[in-house]
Amino acid sequence: MNIERLNEAFQNFVVASKNLESYYKQLQEKVNYLTTELKRKNEQLEIALSEAEKSRDYLNAVLYNLEEAIIVVDQEERITTINRSAERILGLNAQEVIGKNFGSLECSIITDEPDTFLKVRDKSYHIIFSRSPIIDSKGNLRGSVILIKDITRLKEIEIQHERNKRFIAMGEMITKIAHEIRNSLCSIELFANILEKELEGKDLERFAIGISVGISNLNNTLTNMLSFVRDHKLQRKTVKLRNVIEEVLEMLMPLIETRRVSLKKTLTDSTILGDRELLKQTFMNVIINSIQAIKSDNGRVEINMREEEDFTIVDIKDNGVGIKKANMERIFDPFFSTKETGTGLGLTIVLKIMQNHNGYVRVWSEEGEGTQFSLYFPNSKHTEGLYET
C-alpha cells in the first residue's frame, strides 16, 4: 500500500518536473524574446535620439546663422535663447544676456509711424520688429519669440534711389536751361566785345568790361552746374587718404583758426583706389560744412579713420547746431540749403563723388548736439574693376 503511494507520488513528481521544465523553457523563450525586443527598442531609441540630436543641432545652427536677430524669452521675460545677429546688433554675447530680463537691456524700440527704430547706446537702426507667442501642444503660453530685422542699409538704398531719380530730373532740367541761356550769352558776349572795342579809351569802357566779366562769371556758373549733372571720368590711382585729408586741412587752416575751432584727428595709412582731386573736394565740402555748423566759442571737429569689414571709414564729427530731423532726408538734395548764402550743392557733390567711388555716406545728427558724417570707401583689395598706377 505504501509502495503504491510512493510510486504514485514519484510519478506525480516526474510529471510535475516535466511540466516545470516545459514552463521553464517557455519562460526562457519569453525572456529571450523580450531581451531581443528590448535590445531592438533600445537601438531604435538610440537612433531616434541621435536623429533628434542632429535635428536640434541643425535647427540651432539655422537659428544661430539667421540674418534676422532672434531673441526668445520665457513667460517672465527672461532671455533663454539669442542668435548671432542679435548679439551683433545689441553689442552683447549670449553669455551676458541669457537669464536677464529683456526689458533690462540697454536698448529701446521706438515707433515713429510708419518707421520703427532700435536704439542701442549711441547707435540707431531702422528695423522691422515683430513678437510672436510660443504656445505648447496643450495650449499653454511658454514665452515669446522676438524678431528684429535690420533694414538700415535697405532704407538708405531706397532713399538713394529716390534721390537719384530727382538728380536725373534735375540734370535734364539744368542741361536744357543752360543750353538756352548759353545761346543768349553768346549773342550778348559778342555785342559786349564789339561795344568794348567801340568804347576803348573812353569813360564808358568800364561798363562794357563789367558786362564781359559778368558774362564770364555766369558762363563759369553754368559750366559748374553742367559739371555737376554730368558723369565724371575718374582718374583712379592708389591714394593714401591720410595725405589727402592733411592737404585739405592745411588749405582750411586759416578758416579753422579764424573760427577758433579745435581740431582732433586720428588718421591711419589706409589706401584706396580713387580720384585724388575729387576726394579733396569731398573732404573739403564736408569739413567746411562741419566748421560752418559751429556757432559757439568752444567749437570742435574730430576726424577719425577706421576699418570695418571691406571698408575704410572716415568719420568727421562736429559739436555744431546739428540738423533738424525734418531736413535729414533733404540734405543731399541739389540746391537745398539752410544757409543764407549756400548754393545747396556741397553735399550733393559729396554724395555723387562717393557713389562714383563705389562708396556711400552715413549721417548721424542731434539738433543742438552736433553731426557726424561717415564716409565709407571700399578698400583697394575689395574694389572690383579698378586699377593701380
Side-chain angles (χ1 to χ4, degrees), residues 197-217:
K197 289 179 182 178
E198 290 289 332
L199 298 174
E200 188 173 355
K202 298 178 182 179
D203 291 340
L204 295 176
E205 181 185 8
R206 59 193 177 89
F207 293 111
I209 293 173
I211 294 172
S212 296
V213 171
I215 292 169
S216 177
N217 289 337

PDB file of all heavy atoms in Angstrom, residues 197-217:
ATOM      1  N   LYS A 197      35.222 147.345 -77.798  1.00  0.00           N
ATOM      2  CA  LYS A 197      36.166 147.888 -78.782  1.00  0.00           C
ATOM      3  C   LYS A 197      35.758 149.307 -79.213  1.00  0.00           C
ATOM      4  O   LYS A 197      36.612 150.183 -79.413  1.00  0.00           O
ATOM      5  CB  LYS A 197      36.222 146.971 -80.002  1.00  0.00           C
ATOM      6  CG  LYS A 197      36.930 145.650 -79.728  1.00  0.00           C
ATOM      7  CD  LYS A 197      36.933 144.754 -80.959  1.00  0.00           C
ATOM      8  CE  LYS A 197      37.602 143.410 -80.654  1.00  0.00           C
ATOM      9  NZ  LYS A 197      37.583 142.505 -81.831  1.00  0.00           N
ATOM     10  N   GLU A 198      34.441 149.513 -79.349  1.00  0.00           N
ATOM     11  CA  GLU A 198      33.940 150.837 -79.751  1.00  0.00           C
ATOM     12  C   GLU A 198      34.237 151.894 -78.692  1.00  0.00           C
ATOM     13  O   GLU A 198      34.465 153.071 -79.003  1.00  0.00           O
ATOM     14  CB  GLU A 198      32.427 150.773 -80.003  1.00  0.00           C
ATOM     15  CG  GLU A 198      32.033 149.994 -81.254  1.00  0.00           C
ATOM     16  CD  GLU A 198      32.410 150.740 -82.529  1.00  0.00           C
ATOM     17  OE1 GLU A 198      32.461 151.973 -82.526  1.00  0.00           O
ATOM     18  OE2 GLU A 198      32.671 150.038 -83.533  1.00  0.00           O
ATOM     19  N   LEU A 199      34.205 151.471 -77.415  1.00  0.00           N
ATOM     20  CA  LEU A 199      34.378 152.421 -76.315  1.00  0.00           C
ATOM     21  C   LEU A 199      35.796 152.425 -75.753  1.00  0.00           C
ATOM     22  O   LEU A 199      36.035 152.994 -74.687  1.00  0.00           O
ATOM     23  CB  LEU A 199      33.393 152.079 -75.179  1.00  0.00           C
ATOM     24  CG  LEU A 199      31.900 152.174 -75.528  1.00  0.00           C
ATOM     25  CD1 LEU A 199      31.056 151.660 -74.367  1.00  0.00           C
ATOM     26  CD2 LEU A 199      31.517 153.611 -75.879  1.00  0.00           C
ATOM     27  N   GLU A 200      36.715 151.786 -76.459  1.00  0.00           N
ATOM     28  CA  GLU A 200      38.098 151.700 -75.981  1.00  0.00           C
ATOM     29  C   GLU A 200      38.678 153.101 -75.773  1.00  0.00           C
ATOM     30  O   GLU A 200      38.611 153.968 -76.633  1.00  0.00           O
ATOM     31  CB  GLU A 200      38.951 150.930 -76.992  1.00  0.00           C
ATOM     32  CG  GLU A 200      40.348 150.623 -76.478  1.00  0.00           C
ATOM     33  CD  GLU A 200      41.115 149.719 -77.438  1.00  0.00           C
ATOM     34  OE1 GLU A 200      40.538 149.270 -78.444  1.00  0.00           O
ATOM     35  OE2 GLU A 200      42.300 149.471 -77.166  1.00  0.00           O
ATOM     36  N   GLY A 201      39.232 153.315 -74.574  1.00  0.00           N
ATOM     37  CA  GLY A 201      39.839 154.612 -74.246  1.00  0.00           C
ATOM     38  C   GLY A 201      38.847 155.631 -73.737  1.00  0.00           C
ATOM     39  O   GLY A 201      39.250 156.745 -73.357  1.00  0.00           O
ATOM     40  N   LYS A 202      37.571 155.294 -73.689  1.00  0.00           N
ATOM     41  CA  LYS A 202      36.549 156.240 -73.224  1.00  0.00           C
ATOM     42  C   LYS A 202      36.084 155.858 -71.811  1.00  0.00           C
ATOM     43  O   LYS A 202      36.312 154.749 -71.333  1.00  0.00           O
ATOM     44  CB  LYS A 202      35.358 156.242 -74.175  1.00  0.00           C
ATOM     45  CG  LYS A 202      35.724 156.686 -75.594  1.00  0.00           C
ATOM     46  CD  LYS A 202      34.521 156.630 -76.508  1.00  0.00           C
ATOM     47  CE  LYS A 202      34.930 157.023 -77.946  1.00  0.00           C
ATOM     48  NZ  LYS A 202      33.781 156.962 -78.873  1.00  0.00           N
ATOM     49  N   ASP A 203      35.410 156.790 -71.126  1.00  0.00           N
ATOM     50  CA  ASP A 203      34.952 156.563 -69.750  1.00  0.00           C
ATOM     51  C   ASP A 203      33.957 155.412 -69.660  1.00  0.00           C
ATOM     52  O   ASP A 203      33.899 154.694 -68.660  1.00  0.00           O
ATOM     53  CB  ASP A 203      34.306 157.835 -69.203  1.00  0.00           C
ATOM     54  CG  ASP A 203      35.329 158.945 -68.971  1.00  0.00           C
ATOM     55  OD1 ASP A 203      36.521 158.611 -68.862  1.00  0.00           O
ATOM     56  OD2 ASP A 203      34.930 160.119 -68.914  1.00  0.00           O
ATOM     57  N   LEU A 204      33.170 155.249 -70.675  1.00  0.00           N
ATOM     58  CA  LEU A 204      32.133 154.201 -70.651  1.00  0.00           C
ATOM     59  C   LEU A 204      32.695 152.794 -70.905  1.00  0.00           C
ATOM     60  O   LEU A 204      31.957 151.810 -70.832  1.00  0.00           O
ATOM     61  CB  LEU A 204      31.064 154.515 -71.686  1.00  0.00           C
ATOM     62  CG  LEU A 204      30.240 155.790 -71.432  1.00  0.00           C
ATOM     63  CD1 LEU A 204      29.268 156.034 -72.592  1.00  0.00           C
ATOM     64  CD2 LEU A 204      29.458 155.663 -70.136  1.00  0.00           C
ATOM     65  N   GLU A 205      34.007 152.720 -71.189  1.00  0.00           N
ATOM     66  CA  GLU A 205      34.610 151.412 -71.484  1.00  0.00           C
ATOM     67  C   GLU A 205      34.470 150.461 -70.300  1.00  0.00           C
ATOM     68  O   GLU A 205      34.262 149.252 -70.468  1.00  0.00           O
ATOM     69  CB  GLU A 205      36.086 151.582 -71.835  1.00  0.00           C
ATOM     70  CG  GLU A 205      36.775 150.260 -72.184  1.00  0.00           C
ATOM     71  CD  GLU A 205      38.270 150.423 -72.419  1.00  0.00           C
ATOM     72  OE1 GLU A 205      38.809 151.518 -72.174  1.00  0.00           O
ATOM     73  OE2 GLU A 205      38.897 149.434 -72.845  1.00  0.00           O
ATOM     74  N   ARG A 206      34.559 151.005 -69.058  1.00  0.00           N
ATOM     75  CA  ARG A 206      34.479 150.153 -67.862  1.00  0.00           C
ATOM     76  C   ARG A 206      33.130 149.438 -67.749  1.00  0.00           C
ATOM     77  O   ARG A 206      33.046 148.332 -67.208  1.00  0.00           O
ATOM     78  CB  ARG A 206      34.752 150.973 -66.603  1.00  0.00           C
ATOM     79  CG  ARG A 206      33.818 152.130 -66.379  1.00  0.00           C
ATOM     80  CD  ARG A 206      34.363 153.074 -65.282  1.00  0.00           C
ATOM     81  NE  ARG A 206      33.517 154.234 -65.104  1.00  0.00           N
ATOM     82  CZ  ARG A 206      32.480 154.290 -64.274  1.00  0.00           C
ATOM     83  NH1 ARG A 206      32.165 153.223 -63.555  1.00  0.00           N
ATOM     84  NH2 ARG A 206      31.757 155.397 -64.157  1.00  0.00           N
ATOM     85  N   PHE A 207      32.082 150.083 -68.273  1.00  0.00           N
ATOM     86  CA  PHE A 207      30.774 149.425 -68.237  1.00  0.00           C
ATOM     87  C   PHE A 207      30.738 148.211 -69.176  1.00  0.00           C
ATOM     88  O   PHE A 207      30.167 147.163 -68.850  1.00  0.00           O
ATOM     89  CB  PHE A 207      29.678 150.421 -68.626  1.00  0.00           C
ATOM     90  CG  PHE A 207      29.495 151.525 -67.628  1.00  0.00           C
ATOM     91  CD1 PHE A 207      29.851 152.829 -67.949  1.00  0.00           C
ATOM     92  CD2 PHE A 207      28.988 151.264 -66.367  1.00  0.00           C
ATOM     93  CE1 PHE A 207      29.687 153.852 -67.033  1.00  0.00           C
ATOM     94  CE2 PHE A 207      28.813 152.289 -65.440  1.00  0.00           C
ATOM     95  CZ  PHE A 207      29.171 153.592 -65.771  1.00  0.00           C
ATOM     96  N   ALA A 208      31.347 148.361 -70.343  1.00  0.00           N
ATOM     97  CA  ALA A 208      31.422 147.248 -71.295  1.00  0.00           C
ATOM     98  C   ALA A 208      32.261 146.110 -70.735  1.00  0.00           C
ATOM     99  O   ALA A 208      31.908 144.913 -70.874  1.00  0.00           O
ATOM    100  CB  ALA A 208      32.005 147.738 -72.619  1.00  0.00           C
ATOM    101  N   ILE A 209      33.373 146.487 -70.050  1.00  0.00           N
ATOM    102  CA  ILE A 209      34.220 145.452 -69.426  1.00  0.00           C
ATOM    103  C   ILE A 209      33.431 144.736 -68.330  1.00  0.00           C
ATOM    104  O   ILE A 209      33.510 143.505 -68.166  1.00  0.00           O
ATOM    105  CB  ILE A 209      35.502 146.093 -68.842  1.00  0.00           C
ATOM    106  CG1 ILE A 209      36.380 146.638 -69.979  1.00  0.00           C
ATOM    107  CG2 ILE A 209      36.273 145.077 -67.994  1.00  0.00           C
ATOM    108  CD1 ILE A 209      37.579 147.423 -69.518  1.00  0.00           C
ATOM    109  N   GLY A 210      32.648 145.514 -67.546  1.00  0.00           N
ATOM    110  CA  GLY A 210      31.821 144.920 -66.488  1.00  0.00           C
ATOM    111  C   GLY A 210      30.832 143.918 -67.042  1.00  0.00           C
ATOM    112  O   GLY A 210      30.595 142.864 -66.452  1.00  0.00           O
ATOM    113  N   ILE A 211      30.254 144.235 -68.210  1.00  0.00           N
ATOM    114  CA  ILE A 211      29.320 143.309 -68.851  1.00  0.00           C
ATOM    115  C   ILE A 211      30.047 142.016 -69.233  1.00  0.00           C
ATOM    116  O   ILE A 211      29.534 140.908 -69.000  1.00  0.00           O
ATOM    117  CB  ILE A 211      28.688 143.953 -70.094  1.00  0.00           C
ATOM    118  CG1 ILE A 211      27.793 145.139 -69.682  1.00  0.00           C
ATOM    119  CG2 ILE A 211      27.856 142.927 -70.865  1.00  0.00           C
ATOM    120  CD1 ILE A 211      27.281 145.947 -70.855  1.00  0.00           C
ATOM    121  N   SER A 212      31.243 142.146 -69.778  1.00  0.00           N
ATOM    122  CA  SER A 212      32.018 140.961 -70.195  1.00  0.00           C
ATOM    123  C   SER A 212      32.380 140.082 -69.001  1.00  0.00           C
ATOM    124  O   SER A 212      32.308 138.842 -69.071  1.00  0.00           O
ATOM    125  CB  SER A 212      33.298 141.400 -70.923  1.00  0.00           C
ATOM    126  OG  SER A 212      32.985 142.085 -72.113  1.00  0.00           O
ATOM    127  N   VAL A 213      32.778 140.741 -67.889  1.00  0.00           N
ATOM    128  CA  VAL A 213      33.132 139.983 -66.680  1.00  0.00           C
ATOM    129  C   VAL A 213      31.904 139.245 -66.140  1.00  0.00           C
ATOM    130  O   VAL A 213      31.975 138.075 -65.748  1.00  0.00           O
ATOM    131  CB  VAL A 213      33.717 140.924 -65.605  1.00  0.00           C
ATOM    132  CG1 VAL A 213      33.876 140.175 -64.270  1.00  0.00           C
ATOM    133  CG2 VAL A 213      35.055 141.472 -66.050  1.00  0.00           C
ATOM    134  N   GLY A 214      30.758 139.946 -66.134  1.00  0.00           N
ATOM    135  CA  GLY A 214      29.522 139.323 -65.668  1.00  0.00           C
ATOM    136  C   GLY A 214      29.141 138.120 -66.511  1.00  0.00           C
ATOM    137  O   GLY A 214      28.718 137.086 -65.984  1.00  0.00           O
ATOM    138  N   ILE A 215      29.310 138.252 -67.812  1.00  0.00           N
ATOM    139  CA  ILE A 215      29.016 137.138 -68.722  1.00  0.00           C
ATOM    140  C   ILE A 215      29.944 135.961 -68.443  1.00  0.00           C
ATOM    141  O   ILE A 215      29.529 134.800 -68.414  1.00  0.00           O
ATOM    142  CB  ILE A 215      29.151 137.598 -70.187  1.00  0.00           C
ATOM    143  CG1 ILE A 215      28.038 138.593 -70.527  1.00  0.00           C
ATOM    144  CG2 ILE A 215      29.094 136.400 -71.132  1.00  0.00           C
ATOM    145  CD1 ILE A 215      28.242 139.292 -71.848  1.00  0.00           C
ATOM    146  N   SER A 216      31.230 136.292 -68.211  1.00  0.00           N
ATOM    147  CA  SER A 216      32.223 135.244 -67.944  1.00  0.00           C
ATOM    148  C   SER A 216      31.874 134.486 -66.656  1.00  0.00           C
ATOM    149  O   SER A 216      31.953 133.251 -66.595  1.00  0.00           O
ATOM    150  CB  SER A 216      33.611 135.869 -67.830  1.00  0.00           C
ATOM    151  OG  SER A 216      34.568 134.889 -67.509  1.00  0.00           O
ATOM    152  N   ASN A 217      31.468 135.246 -65.607  1.00  0.00           N
ATOM    153  CA  ASN A 217      31.097 134.607 -64.334  1.00  0.00           C
ATOM    154  C   ASN A 217      29.863 133.725 -64.497  1.00  0.00           C
ATOM    155  O   ASN A 217      29.795 132.610 -63.974  1.00  0.00           O
ATOM    156  CB  ASN A 217      30.824 135.677 -63.280  1.00  0.00           C
ATOM    157  CG  ASN A 217      32.100 136.379 -62.838  1.00  0.00           C
ATOM    158  OD1 ASN A 217      33.193 135.831 -62.968  1.00  0.00           O
ATOM    159  ND2 ASN A 217      31.957 137.597 -62.319  1.00  0.00           N
TER     160      ASN A 217
END
